Amino acid sequence: MRKKRVFKKGYKIAGIIIIGLWMVISTGFLIQTFFKTKEVPPEEKEEHSYRAAYHFTAPDHWKNDPQKPVYYEGTYHYYYLYNGDYPDGNGTEWRHSTSKDLVHWKDEGVAIPKYTNENGDPWSGSVVIDKENTAGFGKDAFIAVVTQPSKNGQKQEQFLWYSTDKGKSFKPYSEEPVMKNPGPKDFRDPKIIWDDTRRKWVMTMAEGSKIGFYESDNLKVWRYTSSFSTENLGVLECPDLYRMRADDGTEKWVLGFSANGKAAGKPNTYAYWVGTFNGKEFIPDQQEPEWLDYGFDWYGGVTFEDGQERDKLDKRYGLAWMNNWAYADNTPTMEEDFNGLDSIVREIELKHEGENQYYLSSQPIEALDELSKVSNAYEQIKVNGSKTLELKADAYQLEADISWSDLQHAGFRLRESADKKRHVDVGISSEGNYSFVNRSFTEHPDKSNQYVESIAPFDAYKKKVHLKILVDKTSIEVFVDDGKVAHSNLVFPQPDDKGITLFSEGGKAVFENVRVKHFDSIN
């Protein structure tokens, strides 16, 4: 009996053990299953975007010409041509963004809409703040004078819009132009400044191959005063007139505009002259223009005052549309429903060179440094052939001093692929006396391959150069030495092409003070 009871008890114990094991296994399975459903899946490869990390881009659809930003109550107000119907055409309007530091931007929506009347869509122009209420819309009213192809035979004429809500929205002053077209086909892009020495408004107007000068007391009635004619620069656009103080203390006037110098072997960017302005006409110091950029993609450029400085003459800021009408629609960003990139904002100074010679130098705005929290430094790297850095990146500033005794070319291969076949080359040609940016070895917007290597004069006799290079997902901007020469070019490298290689050809080069500042995204 006892054995029988023990036998039954053994079965009972065994059953309990089996049931317990089953519960443990089942519970473990359930726990494992539970945590499998809750655990974070393996990190997926980040989806690539062509939206720039630290450049201003269109929020959607299309942007082109910048309008000169104005500063009011601690904020820069920036307007630009925007087409929310792109790529289906239908004209532009003025979209508005604001910034405290000229790096981070807040979208404020459309400020001047298109097709509110028969005058059509607003094109380029300029906005000023009427501090003394000369136009009668109130102190500190925002006044814009804008080109519109009016109902008057589709002639380009100038219309006035005004804002009394600190630039958020504009109303048309009249359906009639404040400046009727006097006859030329091209009569557009009015740019207005306040001439504080003569107490009047001064306007420059793009009129084909010349710039017209006008004056006004109230922004509504304009009087012609003179013109400035050019040769071999195509149809001029987006004129720019301003006064600056050079580094030797001399005050000069600068006249700039977007021009196409391709016929004369010159850039298709921002041409300028330094000279004098007597309130009526501009007299240049030299016959030939200088160029603010030698790349293919710095067009519709504007300059503007530093709003925070009491003295406005020592420096200015500048930016431009990074594109080219030769291939403006050829961009992979359209897969993300936008087409439009601006250059970084530059700080511009006027510098003295030789007897009565002056030029503009430009450098990236210092506020960009606030985006950099990680950097790499190399004190000296000797290169005879090529050396590849271990780091990889697609949004950064690269700076270096390069020196040599005898060589043909030296510089950097940027956005380089792992197999070294794809890259953008930036450097100098000692044998050719030029600096260059060559995008022919990577994807770029010009399918005709006419615009693949931008070059600019360089004095190779000094056997050294300082390069500052800004790299973003779809752009390369290069500043040579003090920034008298700059190159701005669009590129569309493959997502994983992030290598950096130093190269020299035909001799040895020494790269010193190499600094790479990695930039965070502003988006």
Side-chain angles (χ1 to χ4, degrees):
M1 293 291 297
R2 185 177 180 93
K3 287 182 179 178
K4 193 175 182 180
R5 287 197 297 267
V6 171
F7 183 73
K8 288 183 178 179
K9 188 176 181 181
Y11 269 113
K12 186 176 181 180
I13 292 172
I16 292 171
I17 292 172
I18 291 170
I19 292 170
L21 288 172
W22 179 84
M23 291 179 66
V24 170
I25 294 170
S26 299
T27 304
F29 176 77
L30 289 171
I31 291 172
Q32 188 180 22
T33 302
F34 175 79
F35 280 105
K36 275 188 176 180
T37 60
K38 293 297 184 181
E39 70 178 4
V40 178
E43 184 176 347
E44 297 180 0
K45 188 174 182 180
E46 182 182 356
E47 184 178 352
H48 177 258
S49 171
Y50 278 109
R51 188 172 292 278
Y54 59 92
H55 286 71
F56 182 93
T57 53
D60 52 40
H61 297 289
W62 167 273
K63 83 165 294 297
N64 58 306
D65 292 4
Q67 312 305 308
K68 182 184 67 166
V70 293
Y71 186 81
Y72 184 70
E73 294 184 344
T75 299
Y76 290 95
H77 294 259
Y78 170 46
Y79 303 89
Y80 59 92
L81 296 190
Y82 166 79
N83 181 3
D85 298 307
Y86 180 82
D88 297 324
N90 202 31
T92 57
E93 50 200 346
W94 279 31
R95 192 152 182 156
H96 180 203
S97 285
T98 54
S99 176
K100 301 286 187 182
D101 61 1
L102 298 174
V103 176
H104 300 85
W105 297 91
K106 178 185 176 184
D107 179 40
E108 304 284 359
V110 171
I112 301 181
K114 56 188 176 184
Y115 301 119
T116 58
N117 54 41
E118 294 185 27
N119 296 323
D121 57 327
W123 294 0
S124 283
S126 63
V127 61
V128 295
I129 298 175
D130 192 6
K131 298 179 181 179
E132 299 186 17
N133 192 24
T134 63
F137 299 109
K139 185 179 183 300
D140 290 348
F142 284 48
I143 309 294
V145 177
V146 182
T147 301
Q148 291 181 265
S150 76
K151 57 187 176 183
N152 184 19
Q154 299 299 303
K155 291 181 179 179
Q156 297 173 14
E157 299 185 312
Q158 318 314 314
F159 293 81
L160 189 149
W161 294 69
Y162 68 96
S163 170
T164 55
D165 60 1
K166 301 181 180 180
K168 294 180 181 179
S169 61
F170 287 74
K171 300 175 182 177
Y173 163 62
S174 171
E175 292 192 14
E176 296 302 314
V178 293
M179 295 184 72
K180 293 184 177 182
N181 188 309
K185 174 185 176 183
D186 300 298
F187 187 68
R188 60 174 182 261
D189 306 345
K191 187 67 62 65
I192 302 170
I193 63 169
W194 174 254
D195 184 351
D196 54 5
T197 61
R198 300 171 182 90
R199 309 292 298 171
K200 65 178 180 179
W201 298 103
V202 173
M203 176 193 289
T204 49
M205 183 82 72
E207 302 175 7
S209 61
K210 67 183 179 72
I211 300 297
F213 291 84
Y214 301 82
E215 63 182 10
S216 176
D217 300 316
N218 60 10
L219 294 166
K220 298 174 181 175
V221 178
W222 293 90
R223 300 175 295 275
Y224 171 81
T225 62
S226 67
S227 64
F228 179 86
S229 296
T230 65
E231 295 181 359
N232 299 320
L233 292 178
V235 175
L236 311 181
E237 296 188 284
C238 306
D240 201 12
L241 177 70
Y242 46 94
R243 184 162 57 107
M244 292 196 75
R245 183 182 300 109
D247 56 357
D248 67 350
T250 305
E251 290 188 11
K252 306 291 289 186
W253 283 82
V254 179
L255 174 65
F257 43 76
S258 288
N260 188 351
K262 185 179 179 182
K266 301 296 182 181
N268 179 17
T269 59
Y270 182 105
Y272 72 90
W273 281 261
V274 178
T276 58
F277 179 68
N278 60 15
K280 299 289 185 181
E281 60 181 342
F282 176 82
I283 301 96
D285 289 344
Q286 77 281 3
Q287 185 175 359
E288 296 297 320
E290 300 282 352
W291 297 84
L292 200 55
D293 199 289
Y294 285 81
F296 301 122
D297 303 301
W298 210 83
Y299 198 75
V302 294
T303 69
F304 56 102
E305 295 177 343
D306 183 334
Q308 300 179 9
E309 294 292 331
R310 184 181 297 272
D311 189 335
K312 308 296 186 185
L313 300 184
D314 284 341
K315 69 176 181 180
R316 293 178 71 81
Y317 295 125
L319 78 156
W321 176 47
M322 283 198 74
N323 209 334
N324 190 308
W325 284 116
Y327 44 74
D329 296 307
N330 187 20
T331 167
T333 65
M334 278 306 298
E335 296 176 6
E336 301 173 55
D337 190 36
F338 79 95
N339 182 353
L341 172 77
D342 280 347
S343 72
I344 54 98
V345 176
R346 305 176 178 184
E347 186 174 300
I348 297 174
E349 296 179 323
L350 183 63
K351 297 192 175 182
H352 178 245
E353 179 183 55
E355 185 177 354
N356 197 35
Q357 291 183 332
Y358 296 85
Y359 67 90
L360 296 177
S361 71
S362 56
Q363 292 289 339
I365 189 172
E366 290 184 2
L368 280 172
D369 290 342
E370 300 299 318
L371 296 177
S372 177
K373 297 179 177 61
V374 178
S375 62
N376 302 90
Y378 308 84
E379 293 307 316
Q380 186 182 87
I381 305 174
K382 295 181 180 179
V383 180
N384 191 356
S386 64
K387 287 189 178 181
T388 299
L389 302 182
E390 293 182 359
L391 63 93
K392 294 182 182 299
D394 62 3
Y396 57 90
Q397 175 181 286
L398 169 61
E399 196 165 4
D401 295 298
I402 309 174
S403 59
W404 62 89
S405 294
D406 185 28
L407 57 68
Q408 295 174 321
H409 311 99
F412 295 91
R413 295 189 183 110
L414 307 172
R415 299 301 307 271
E416 189 174 51
S417 61
D419 62 7
K420 311 293 185 184
K421 293 181 179 180
R422 297 185 301 274
H423 43 82
V424 182
D425 294 355
V426 176
I428 57 88
S429 171
S430 181
E431 64 177 4
N433 286 298
Y434 59 83
S435 63
F436 62 86
V437 175
N438 190 326
R439 62 185 182 184
S440 62
F441 302 104
T442 194
E443 290 296 315
H444 58 82
D446 178 33
K447 297 307 179 185
S448 72
N449 286 320
Q450 297 181 48
Y451 305 90
V452 292
E453 184 178 49
S454 60
I455 62 174
F458 176 77
D459 181 10
Y461 179 77
K462 58 186 180 179
K463 298 184 182 300
K464 62 179 180 179
V465 67
H466 181 82
L467 295 180
K468 183 178 289 186
I469 307 168
L470 291 178
V471 177
D472 207 336
K473 292 185 179 181
T474 60
S475 63
I476 300 282
E477 290 163 280
V478 180
F479 301 85
V480 181
D481 288 331
D482 68 345
K484 180 180 181 180
V485 165
H487 299 257
S488 297
N489 289 316
L490 285 177
V491 290
F492 301 122
Q494 295 189 19
D496 293 333
D497 293 356
K498 299 181 180 181
I500 301 175
T501 292
L502 290 60
F503 74 87
S504 68
E505 298 173 357
K508 182 174 67 177
V510 180
F511 292 72
E512 296 181 291
N513 307 313
V514 180
R515 301 287 185 272
V516 180
K517 294 181 180 178
H518 301 265
F519 287 150
D520 294 335
S521 175
I522 62 173
N523 298 305

